[in-house]
């Protein structure tokens, strides 16, 4: 499990580090991450509306950037769905 | 990232399925998971007090079982610490 956690952290940092703040995901960074890393988990990832809706639902303080904690909630929802724990 | 998420879900299910409810972790299952899978992330995992404290802090409805969502919050905290996002 530790290796899997490290992978998630490392990938987040890789995408978050591309522009602006290196510890948060901008909309473009988030878009890149979702289309590259979560192509099967997030449907219609190439549709800008999908990204806008996801981003809006996760960005709790509405600053246009996703922190690691905000991002983690998305991953948790995807994992939960993957595991059949909730619909 | 999808492979890493699948690993976390699969491991959770493996440990959760050992006794009682197959979708939640009992105290013993949680103890086994932490000592086997998170030996470096959770200090003093072999100390029963550590497990009791962690379990108490995560089990929001105090039913003695951890759901996947409750467990995910722990992993998020460990990942956040690992990534240096918070102390």
């Amino acid at each position: 499990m530790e290796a899997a956690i490290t992978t998630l952290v490392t990938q987040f940092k890789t995408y978050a580090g591309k522009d602006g703040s290196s510890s948060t995901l901008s909309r473009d960074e988030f878009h890149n991450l979702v289309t590259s890393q979560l192509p099967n988990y997030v449907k219609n990832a190439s549709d800008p509306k999908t990204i806008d809706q996801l981003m809006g639902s996760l960005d709790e303080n509405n600053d246009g950037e996703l922190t690691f904690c905000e991002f983690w909630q998305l991953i948790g929802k995807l994992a939960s769905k993957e595991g059949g724990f909730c619909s």
Side-chain angles (χ1 to χ4, degrees), chain A:
Chain A
M1 274 194 171
E2 294 185 347
I5 295 170
T6 300
T7 296
L8 295 175
V9 170
T10 305
Q11 291 291 342
F12 176 87
K13 285 190 171 179
T14 300
Y15 286 86
K18 290 185 181 176
D19 65 42
S21 167
S22 63
S23 61
T24 56
L25 292 171
S26 66
R27 188 191 172 289
D28 281 352
E29 289 170 337
F30 180 61
H31 192 181
N32 283 337
L33 186 155
V34 170
T35 50
S36 308
Q37 295 291 322
L38 303 167
N40 302 302
Y41 283 12
V42 177
K43 290 177 187 168
N44 305 317
S46 58
D47 182 347
K49 280 185 192 169
T50 301
I51 299 299
D52 285 338
Q53 284 176 353
L54 260 183
M55 185 100 189
S57 70
L58 294 168
D59 182 16
E60 290 178 359
N61 59 2
N62 286 306
D63 64 353
E65 298 274 332
L66 292 184
T67 64
F68 184 77
C69 294
E70 289 168 340
F71 176 69
W72 192 256
Q73 299 310 311
L74 167 67
I75 304 286
K77 283 176 198 166
L78 297 175
S80 188
K81 198 180 268 189
E82 161 81 5
F85 299 112
C86 49
S87 58

